[in-house]
């Protein structure tokens, strides 16, 4: 019965050998829990409680919630196959709730790291240095995604209205304001770019043969990684970390979460709320300074 399912996903669904093997291993683990061989699986003798007991055992053995969720997913796919082919009349996995997997908190740079990274602006004396400084400043001040920055056109950057038009996921448009300092950096960049040429994009780079092309993903990533590597020991040093840093900085300085949601272009508020963890340390300090009962007696 299980072999029929594995043949189905291999032949009909055209899953890779690695994926099919992963399903086989997951289903074999459940069979071993039941005391059966893979070929002896009998759905008439399996109940919801058996699946729950298996999940509890997996967690007790040290498997992560993410791993247990994957095991359950494999079993659900198997039961959907049996239901569709008439091998079972009821899918006993449908009421099983998978363990919640903890969300990874966003990594972000602290203010002192950003100050050091942006201090190179005064040392910029060539096009690439001016461009690289602007990239960091723009990511930090607007919170735009890497792909959004790569898609910028000159017409999207409005120096008169002090705003930048960003096209996010599914081409959804949003407007993000810019400060005077950033506007001046953009003006300096555009002046420097006049001397090297145009390539139909706001940010450009030179190829080895000297020709100009729009900035690409790997070049942008390497610029951020190299610059931030000079001021921090953090392993994650990507444009997306600067997006996290933008959101965290805004929240720590009093911006409300709905505004952050709009600036980031999040469709759901839940996606933005993950940043609120960063404000806890600040809230704690304010509480300790403001509440009379929060101060230790020996400090009074």
């Amino acid at each position: 019965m299980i072999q029929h399912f594995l043949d189905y996903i291999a032949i009909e669904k055209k899953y890779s050998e690695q994926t099919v093997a992963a399903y086989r291993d997951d289903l074999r683990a459940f069979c071993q829990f039941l005391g059966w061989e893979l070929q002896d699986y009998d759905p008439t003798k399996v109940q919801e409680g058996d699946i729950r007991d298996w999940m509890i055992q997996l967690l007790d053995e040290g498997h992560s919630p993410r791993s247990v969720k994957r095991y359950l997913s494999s079993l659900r796919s198997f039961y959907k196959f049996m239901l569709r082919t008439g091998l079972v009349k009821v899918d006993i996995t449908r009421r099983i709730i998978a363990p919640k997997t903890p969300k990874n908190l966003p990594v972000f740079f602290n203010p002192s790291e950003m100050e050091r990274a942006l201090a190179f602006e005064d040392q910029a004396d060539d096009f690439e240095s001016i461009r690289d400084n602007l990239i960091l400043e723009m990511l930090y001040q607007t919170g735009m995604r890497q792909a959004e920055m790569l898609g910028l056109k000159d017409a999207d950057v409005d120096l008169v209205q002090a705003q930048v038009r960003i096209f996010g996921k599914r081409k959804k448009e949003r407007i993000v304001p810019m400060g005077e300092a950033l506007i001046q950096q953009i003006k300096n960049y555009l002046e420097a770019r006049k001397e090297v040429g145009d390539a139909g994009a706001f940010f450009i780079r030179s190829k080895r043969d000297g020709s100009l092309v729009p900035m690409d993903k790997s070049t942008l990533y390497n610029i951020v990684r190299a610059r931030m590597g000079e001021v921090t020991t953090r392993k994650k040093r990507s444009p997306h970390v600067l997006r996290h840093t933008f959101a965290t900085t805004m929240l720590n300085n009093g911006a409300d979460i709905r505004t952050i949601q709009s600036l980031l272009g999040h469709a759901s508020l839940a996606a933005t709320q993950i940043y609120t963890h960063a404000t806890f340390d600040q809230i704690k300090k304010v509480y300790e300074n403001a509440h009379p009962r929060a101060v230790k007696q020996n400090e009074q």
Side-chain angles (χ1 to χ4, degrees), residues 3 11 26 35-36 65 98 111 117 123 153 172 179 182 197 205 211 234 268 270 278 289-291:
Q3 188 58 51
I11 299 171
D26 292 348
W36 297 340
Q123 304 172 17
K153 305 296 183 184
K172 186 176 180 181
L182 179 57
R205 69 177 182 90
S211 60
R234 300 175 193 274
S268 169
N289 291 332
H291 198 290

Side-chain angles (χ1 to χ4, degrees), residues 118-137:
L118 299 174
F120 291 98
E121 178 186 355
D122 296 335
Q123 304 172 17
D125 56 2
D126 60 87
F127 170 73
E128 289 191 353
S129 297
I130 294 171
R131 179 200 63 192
D132 296 355
N133 286 335
L134 177 59
I135 284 173
L136 257 71
E137 191 75 63

Side-chain angles (χ1 to χ4, degrees), residues 108-109 111 139-144 176-177 242-264 272 275-276 278-279 282:
F108 56 91
F109 302 116
L139 287 170
Y140 181 44
Q141 287 201 35
T142 66
M144 70 175 69
V176 175
L242 285 172
R243 178 172 163 84
H244 294 328
T245 305
F246 163 80
T248 304
T249 301
M250 293 289 289
L251 283 166
N252 279 339
N253 286 280
D256 67 273
I257 196 165
R258 288 288 183 183
T259 300
I260 303 300
Q261 177 189 3
S262 176
L263 291 171
L264 290 174
T272 314
Y275 295 106
T276 58
T279 65
Q282 182 179 2

Side-chain angles (χ1 to χ4, degrees), residues 44 82 87 108 123 177 189 215 232 236 261 278:
T44 64
M82 290 195 293
L87 295 172
F108 56 91
Q123 304 172 17
Y189 166 72
M215 176 75 67
T232 182
K236 288 187 177 181
Q261 177 189 3

Side-chain angles (χ1 to χ4, degrees), residues 47 72 90 145 151 154 177 190 210 216 219-220 225 260 280 282:
Q47 300 177 347
L72 179 59
V90 177
R145 299 178 178 92
D154 285 9
L190 293 176
D216 63 282
T219 302
L220 178 58
R225 182 169 179 80
I260 303 300
F280 179 74
Q282 182 179 2

Side-chain angles (χ1 to χ4, degrees), residues 53-85:
D53 289 343
W54 180 46
M55 293 170 61
I56 291 171
Q57 177 175 298
L58 290 171
L59 292 169
D60 287 343
E61 290 175 350
H63 291 271
S64 68
R66 191 181 304 276
S67 176
V68 175
K69 192 173 183 178
R70 192 205 70 229
Y71 278 116
L72 179 59
S73 177
S74 296
L75 196 59
R76 279 177 171 160
S77 296
F78 175 46
Y79 267 85
K80 286 180 181 178
F81 166 77
M82 290 195 293
L83 189 65
R84 188 166 53 249
T85 55

Side-chain angles (χ1 to χ4, degrees), residues 20-21 38 42 50 55 59 74-75 79 81 112 155 170 188 190 195 201 206 223 226 238 245 248-249 274-275:
V20 174
L38 199 67
D42 185 351
D50 295 321
M55 293 170 61
L59 292 169
S74 296
L75 196 59
Y79 267 85
F81 166 77
S112 63
R170 296 176 293 278
N188 294 341
L190 293 176
E195 299 181 8
S206 298
I223 288 170
S238 67
T245 305
T248 304
T249 301
I274 193 172
Y275 295 106

